Amino acid sequence: MFIETEGTPNPATLKFLPGRDVMGPRGTADFISAEVAVRSPLATRIFALPGVARVFLGGEFITVTKADDADWMALRPAVLSAVMAHYVAGLPILEGEADLEAEDTDPADAEIVATIKELLDTRVRPAVAGDGGDIVFRGFRDGVVKLLMQGACSGCPSSRATLKHGVENMLRHYVPEVLSVEQVEA
């Protein structure tokens, strides 16, 4: 098994590409600590390594964020080994069903929300996934779109600028009802 690695715009995060499905079409899973990763044998194995601060599972990639005091020279080979060991063991990526977060929307805005989600899915998410992350719709009220940044995008120095200048401008262009975009925390 050959696992590629790629840098991301976030210097604390690396993207690992095992050459096979991670989450596949099921979506993504973002684990901010070992305690919340218990339903993922893969994320649990990675969190067992010293210096791992966050694990994000994408369709065909794994994004690992290191702690501030960790060094990629030591951590990268350990993550590669953990990912390979997981796939060799044939364990599932996730156990059980995902808990879905409720979206904060007004039913009267259903058509606007559908347009926002379509724009995010077709124009924003592919680019964000390319950088090792994801962007998740969390709500739309009073002209404000609420989005959650995950993976490499969570905590990335440029993510707020991307939201304000890129995503907000694009949504305002196509959906006049959108006044602003806000980042929410997990």
PDB file of all heavy atoms in Angstrom, residues 11-14 46 49-54 64-79:
ATOM      1  N   PRO A  11      -0.252  25.183   7.876  1.00  0.00           N
ATOM      2  CA  PRO A  11       1.038  24.528   8.129  1.00  0.00           C
ATOM      3  C   PRO A  11       0.998  23.469   9.230  1.00  0.00           C
ATOM      4  O   PRO A  11       1.886  22.621   9.294  1.00  0.00           O
ATOM      5  CB  PRO A  11       1.970  25.684   8.509  1.00  0.00           C
ATOM      6  CG  PRO A  11       1.072  26.820   8.857  1.00  0.00           C
ATOM      7  CD  PRO A  11      -0.223  26.613   8.153  1.00  0.00           C
ATOM      8  N   ALA A  12      -0.018  23.472  10.061  1.00  0.00           N
ATOM      9  CA  ALA A  12      -0.131  22.475  11.127  1.00  0.00           C
ATOM     10  C   ALA A  12      -0.833  21.208  10.653  1.00  0.00           C
ATOM     11  O   ALA A  12      -1.015  20.279  11.428  1.00  0.00           O
ATOM     12  CB  ALA A  12      -0.891  23.069  12.322  1.00  0.00           C
ATOM     13  N   THR A  13      -1.212  21.163   9.374  1.00  0.00           N
ATOM     14  CA  THR A  13      -2.029  20.061   8.873  1.00  0.00           C
ATOM     15  C   THR A  13      -1.426  19.442   7.620  1.00  0.00           C
ATOM     16  O   THR A  13      -0.974  20.142   6.725  1.00  0.00           O
ATOM     17  CB  THR A  13      -3.456  20.576   8.553  1.00  0.00           C
ATOM     18  OG1 THR A  13      -3.993  21.185   9.726  1.00  0.00           O
ATOM     19  CG2 THR A  13      -4.363  19.456   8.123  1.00  0.00           C
ATOM     20  N   LEU A  14      -1.440  18.100   7.580  1.00  0.00           N
ATOM     21  CA  LEU A  14      -1.042  17.349   6.389  1.00  0.00           C
ATOM     22  C   LEU A  14      -2.217  16.499   5.917  1.00  0.00           C
ATOM     23  O   LEU A  14      -3.017  16.018   6.723  1.00  0.00           O
ATOM     24  CB  LEU A  14       0.136  16.420   6.675  1.00  0.00           C
ATOM     25  CG  LEU A  14       1.534  17.006   6.646  1.00  0.00           C
ATOM     26  CD1 LEU A  14       2.571  15.926   6.968  1.00  0.00           C
ATOM     27  CD2 LEU A  14       1.842  17.646   5.308  1.00  0.00           C
ATOM     28  N   ILE A  46      -4.967   6.948  15.089  1.00  0.00           N
ATOM     29  CA  ILE A  46      -4.133   8.126  14.807  1.00  0.00           C
ATOM     30  C   ILE A  46      -3.985   8.987  16.060  1.00  0.00           C
ATOM     31  O   ILE A  46      -2.897   9.487  16.362  1.00  0.00           O
ATOM     32  CB  ILE A  46      -4.705   8.920  13.615  1.00  0.00           C
ATOM     33  CG1 ILE A  46      -4.634   8.067  12.337  1.00  0.00           C
ATOM     34  CG2 ILE A  46      -3.953  10.235  13.427  1.00  0.00           C
ATOM     35  CD1 ILE A  46      -5.385   8.632  11.144  1.00  0.00           C
ATOM     36  N   LEU A  49      -1.213   8.486  18.679  1.00  0.00           N
ATOM     37  CA  LEU A  49       0.135   8.986  18.435  1.00  0.00           C
ATOM     38  C   LEU A  49       0.343  10.301  19.182  1.00  0.00           C
ATOM     39  O   LEU A  49      -0.519  11.184  19.141  1.00  0.00           O
ATOM     40  CB  LEU A  49       0.352   9.216  16.936  1.00  0.00           C
ATOM     41  CG  LEU A  49       0.123   8.001  16.030  1.00  0.00           C
ATOM     42  CD1 LEU A  49       0.163   8.423  14.574  1.00  0.00           C
ATOM     43  CD2 LEU A  49       1.162   6.937  16.326  1.00  0.00           C
ATOM     44  N   PRO A  50       1.473  10.473  19.844  1.00  0.00           N
ATOM     45  CA  PRO A  50       1.715  11.749  20.527  1.00  0.00           C
ATOM     46  C   PRO A  50       1.869  12.876  19.517  1.00  0.00           C
ATOM     47  O   PRO A  50       2.543  12.724  18.503  1.00  0.00           O
ATOM     48  CB  PRO A  50       3.021  11.502  21.291  1.00  0.00           C
ATOM     49  CG  PRO A  50       3.614  10.274  20.716  1.00  0.00           C
ATOM     50  CD  PRO A  50       2.538   9.514  20.013  1.00  0.00           C
ATOM     51  N   GLY A  51       1.192  13.983  19.801  1.00  0.00           N
ATOM     52  CA  GLY A  51       1.304  15.157  18.937  1.00  0.00           C
ATOM     53  C   GLY A  51       0.148  15.356  17.983  1.00  0.00           C
ATOM     54  O   GLY A  51       0.116  16.343  17.250  1.00  0.00           O
ATOM     55  N   VAL A  52      -0.838  14.453  17.963  1.00  0.00           N
ATOM     56  CA  VAL A  52      -1.986  14.611  17.071  1.00  0.00           C
ATOM     57  C   VAL A  52      -3.053  15.444  17.792  1.00  0.00           C
ATOM     58  O   VAL A  52      -3.452  15.132  18.904  1.00  0.00           O
ATOM     59  CB  VAL A  52      -2.573  13.244  16.652  1.00  0.00           C
ATOM     60  CG1 VAL A  52      -3.878  13.420  15.882  1.00  0.00           C
ATOM     61  CG2 VAL A  52      -1.558  12.477  15.811  1.00  0.00           C
ATOM     62  N   ALA A  53      -3.511  16.515  17.135  1.00  0.00           N
ATOM     63  CA  ALA A  53      -4.497  17.415  17.738  1.00  0.00           C
ATOM     64  C   ALA A  53      -5.888  17.260  17.130  1.00  0.00           C
ATOM     65  O   ALA A  53      -6.888  17.533  17.796  1.00  0.00           O
ATOM     66  CB  ALA A  53      -4.044  18.867  17.582  1.00  0.00           C
ATOM     67  N   ARG A  54      -5.975  16.820  15.860  1.00  0.00           N
ATOM     68  CA  ARG A  54      -7.273  16.718  15.185  1.00  0.00           C
ATOM     69  C   ARG A  54      -7.147  15.741  14.024  1.00  0.00           C
ATOM     70  O   ARG A  54      -6.116  15.675  13.372  1.00  0.00           O
ATOM     71  CB  ARG A  54      -7.680  18.099  14.680  1.00  0.00           C
ATOM     72  CG  ARG A  54      -9.058  18.171  14.081  1.00  0.00           C
ATOM     73  CD  ARG A  54      -9.395  19.612  13.646  1.00  0.00           C
ATOM     74  NE  ARG A  54     -10.834  19.763  13.603  1.00  0.00           N
ATOM     75  CZ  ARG A  54     -11.489  20.779  14.112  1.00  0.00           C
ATOM     76  NH1 ARG A  54     -10.845  21.763  14.693  1.00  0.00           N
ATOM     77  NH2 ARG A  54     -12.800  20.837  14.034  1.00  0.00           N
ATOM     78  N   VAL A  64      -4.650  15.278   9.053  1.00  0.00           N
ATOM     79  CA  VAL A  64      -4.202  15.238  10.445  1.00  0.00           C
ATOM     80  C   VAL A  64      -3.590  16.596  10.788  1.00  0.00           C
ATOM     81  O   VAL A  64      -2.745  17.108  10.055  1.00  0.00           O
ATOM     82  CB  VAL A  64      -3.166  14.109  10.668  1.00  0.00           C
ATOM     83  CG1 VAL A  64      -2.647  14.121  12.098  1.00  0.00           C
ATOM     84  CG2 VAL A  64      -3.772  12.761  10.317  1.00  0.00           C
ATOM     85  N   THR A  65      -4.058  17.139  11.915  1.00  0.00           N
ATOM     86  CA  THR A  65      -3.506  18.396  12.425  1.00  0.00           C
ATOM     87  C   THR A  65      -2.655  18.066  13.643  1.00  0.00           C
ATOM     88  O   THR A  65      -3.092  17.338  14.533  1.00  0.00           O
ATOM     89  CB  THR A  65      -4.640  19.363  12.809  1.00  0.00           C
ATOM     90  OG1 THR A  65      -5.473  19.571  11.655  1.00  0.00           O
ATOM     91  CG2 THR A  65      -4.093  20.691  13.296  1.00  0.00           C
ATOM     92  N   LYS A  66      -1.453  18.606  13.658  1.00  0.00           N
ATOM     93  CA  LYS A  66      -0.523  18.336  14.752  1.00  0.00           C
ATOM     94  C   LYS A  66      -0.674  19.384  15.843  1.00  0.00           C
ATOM     95  O   LYS A  66      -1.123  20.503  15.597  1.00  0.00           O
ATOM     96  CB  LYS A  66       0.910  18.294  14.250  1.00  0.00           C
ATOM     97  CG  LYS A  66       1.450  19.642  13.814  1.00  0.00           C
ATOM     98  CD  LYS A  66       2.916  19.537  13.430  1.00  0.00           C
ATOM     99  CE  LYS A  66       3.510  20.897  13.147  1.00  0.00           C
ATOM    100  NZ  LYS A  66       3.626  21.748  14.325  1.00  0.00           N
ATOM    101  N   ALA A  67      -0.281  19.018  17.037  1.00  0.00           N
ATOM    102  CA  ALA A  67      -0.213  19.967  18.148  1.00  0.00           C
ATOM    103  C   ALA A  67       0.921  20.956  17.874  1.00  0.00           C
ATOM    104  O   ALA A  67       1.843  20.668  17.101  1.00  0.00           O
ATOM    105  CB  ALA A  67       0.032  19.217  19.452  1.00  0.00           C
ATOM    106  N   ASP A  68       0.859  22.105  18.505  1.00  0.00           N
ATOM    107  CA  ASP A  68       1.868  23.144  18.276  1.00  0.00           C
ATOM    108  C   ASP A  68       3.288  22.678  18.562  1.00  0.00           C
ATOM    109  O   ASP A  68       4.225  23.074  17.870  1.00  0.00           O
ATOM    110  CB  ASP A  68       1.559  24.382  19.133  1.00  0.00           C
ATOM    111  CG  ASP A  68       0.300  25.100  18.674  1.00  0.00           C
ATOM    112  OD1 ASP A  68      -0.115  24.923  17.513  1.00  0.00           O
ATOM    113  OD2 ASP A  68      -0.271  25.852  19.494  1.00  0.00           O
ATOM    114  N   ASP A  69       3.446  21.816  19.562  1.00  0.00           N
ATOM    115  CA  ASP A  69       4.789  21.374  19.941  1.00  0.00           C
ATOM    116  C   ASP A  69       5.258  20.125  19.200  1.00  0.00           C
ATOM    117  O   ASP A  69       6.362  19.642  19.426  1.00  0.00           O
ATOM    118  CB  ASP A  69       4.865  21.150  21.456  1.00  0.00           C
ATOM    119  CG  ASP A  69       3.885  20.090  21.940  1.00  0.00           C
ATOM    120  OD1 ASP A  69       2.962  19.721  21.190  1.00  0.00           O
ATOM    121  OD2 ASP A  69       4.047  19.627  23.092  1.00  0.00           O
ATOM    122  N   ALA A  70       4.443  19.600  18.294  1.00  0.00           N
ATOM    123  CA  ALA A  70       4.821  18.393  17.538  1.00  0.00           C
ATOM    124  C   ALA A  70       5.595  18.780  16.279  1.00  0.00           C
ATOM    125  O   ALA A  70       5.499  19.896  15.781  1.00  0.00           O
ATOM    126  CB  ALA A  70       3.578  17.599  17.176  1.00  0.00           C
ATOM    127  N   ASP A  71       6.355  17.819  15.774  1.00  0.00           N
ATOM    128  CA  ASP A  71       7.184  18.032  14.589  1.00  0.00           C
ATOM    129  C   ASP A  71       6.768  17.037  13.510  1.00  0.00           C
ATOM    130  O   ASP A  71       6.692  15.822  13.772  1.00  0.00           O
ATOM    131  CB  ASP A  71       8.651  17.825  14.977  1.00  0.00           C
ATOM    132  CG  ASP A  71       9.602  17.985  13.812  1.00  0.00           C
ATOM    133  OD1 ASP A  71       9.235  18.638  12.811  1.00  0.00           O
ATOM    134  OD2 ASP A  71      10.726  17.449  13.906  1.00  0.00           O
ATOM    135  N   TRP A  72       6.519  17.513  12.305  1.00  0.00           N
ATOM    136  CA  TRP A  72       6.097  16.622  11.219  1.00  0.00           C
ATOM    137  C   TRP A  72       7.165  15.593  10.862  1.00  0.00           C
ATOM    138  O   TRP A  72       6.838  14.507  10.382  1.00  0.00           O
ATOM    139  CB  TRP A  72       5.698  17.410   9.972  1.00  0.00           C
ATOM    140  CG  TRP A  72       4.303  17.944  10.042  1.00  0.00           C
ATOM    141  CD1 TRP A  72       3.906  19.245   9.953  1.00  0.00           C
ATOM    142  CD2 TRP A  72       3.098  17.188  10.226  1.00  0.00           C
ATOM    143  NE1 TRP A  72       2.538  19.334  10.089  1.00  0.00           N
ATOM    144  CE2 TRP A  72       2.018  18.081  10.247  1.00  0.00           C
ATOM    145  CE3 TRP A  72       2.833  15.823  10.387  1.00  0.00           C
ATOM    146  CZ2 TRP A  72       0.700  17.679  10.405  1.00  0.00           C
ATOM    147  CZ3 TRP A  72       1.512  15.412  10.540  1.00  0.00           C
ATOM    148  CH2 TRP A  72       0.471  16.334  10.551  1.00  0.00           C
ATOM    149  N   MET A  73       8.435  15.908  11.092  1.00  0.00           N
ATOM    150  CA  MET A  73       9.500  14.949  10.761  1.00  0.00           C
ATOM    151  C   MET A  73       9.314  13.645  11.541  1.00  0.00           C
ATOM    152  O   MET A  73       9.574  12.564  11.013  1.00  0.00           O
ATOM    153  CB  MET A  73      10.879  15.556  11.067  1.00  0.00           C
ATOM    154  CG  MET A  73      11.252  16.697  10.134  1.00  0.00           C
ATOM    155  SD  MET A  73      11.435  16.180   8.412  1.00  0.00           S
ATOM    156  CE  MET A  73      12.980  15.340   8.519  1.00  0.00           C
ATOM    157  N   ALA A  74       8.848  13.731  12.768  1.00  0.00           N
ATOM    158  CA  ALA A  74       8.613  12.532  13.576  1.00  0.00           C
ATOM    159  C   ALA A  74       7.189  12.020  13.424  1.00  0.00           C
ATOM    160  O   ALA A  74       6.953  10.806  13.396  1.00  0.00           O
ATOM    161  CB  ALA A  74       8.889  12.839  15.050  1.00  0.00           C
ATOM    162  N   LEU A  75       6.230  12.918  13.301  1.00  0.00           N
ATOM    163  CA  LEU A  75       4.828  12.523  13.290  1.00  0.00           C
ATOM    164  C   LEU A  75       4.379  11.934  11.948  1.00  0.00           C
ATOM    165  O   LEU A  75       3.612  10.966  11.919  1.00  0.00           O
ATOM    166  CB  LEU A  75       3.944  13.722  13.665  1.00  0.00           C
ATOM    167  CG  LEU A  75       2.470  13.441  13.896  1.00  0.00           C
ATOM    168  CD1 LEU A  75       2.255  12.353  14.947  1.00  0.00           C
ATOM    169  CD2 LEU A  75       1.754  14.729  14.307  1.00  0.00           C
ATOM    170  N   ARG A  76       4.854  12.470  10.848  1.00  0.00           N
ATOM    171  CA  ARG A  76       4.413  12.003   9.517  1.00  0.00           C
ATOM    172  C   ARG A  76       4.604  10.499   9.338  1.00  0.00           C
ATOM    173  O   ARG A  76       3.670   9.794   8.961  1.00  0.00           O
ATOM    174  CB  ARG A  76       5.129  12.788   8.430  1.00  0.00           C
ATOM    175  CG  ARG A  76       4.710  12.389   7.026  1.00  0.00           C
ATOM    176  CD  ARG A  76       5.491  13.218   5.976  1.00  0.00           C
ATOM    177  NE  ARG A  76       5.266  12.700   4.660  1.00  0.00           N
ATOM    178  CZ  ARG A  76       5.976  11.739   4.079  1.00  0.00           C
ATOM    179  NH1 ARG A  76       6.980  11.166   4.723  1.00  0.00           N
ATOM    180  NH2 ARG A  76       5.680  11.325   2.861  1.00  0.00           N
ATOM    181  N   PRO A  77       5.803   9.938   9.590  1.00  0.00           N
ATOM    182  CA  PRO A  77       5.958   8.489   9.406  1.00  0.00           C
ATOM    183  C   PRO A  77       5.091   7.669  10.366  1.00  0.00           C
ATOM    184  O   PRO A  77       4.615   6.592  10.013  1.00  0.00           O
ATOM    185  CB  PRO A  77       7.439   8.217   9.642  1.00  0.00           C
ATOM    186  CG  PRO A  77       8.051   9.485  10.077  1.00  0.00           C
ATOM    187  CD  PRO A  77       7.065  10.594   9.912  1.00  0.00           C
ATOM    188  N   ALA A  78       4.854   8.193  11.560  1.00  0.00           N
ATOM    189  CA  ALA A  78       3.999   7.479  12.518  1.00  0.00           C
ATOM    190  C   ALA A  78       2.558   7.437  12.025  1.00  0.00           C
ATOM    191  O   ALA A  78       1.875   6.411  12.146  1.00  0.00           O
ATOM    192  CB  ALA A  78       4.081   8.135  13.896  1.00  0.00           C
ATOM    193  N   VAL A  79       2.072   8.548  11.442  1.00  0.00           N
ATOM    194  CA  VAL A  79       0.707   8.570  10.886  1.00  0.00           C
ATOM    195  C   VAL A  79       0.619   7.625   9.694  1.00  0.00           C
ATOM    196  O   VAL A  79      -0.338   6.855   9.571  1.00  0.00           O
ATOM    197  CB  VAL A  79       0.284  10.004  10.491  1.00  0.00           C
ATOM    198  CG1 VAL A  79      -1.048   9.984   9.736  1.00  0.00           C
ATOM    199  CG2 VAL A  79       0.196  10.907  11.714  1.00  0.00           C
TER     200      VAL A  79
END
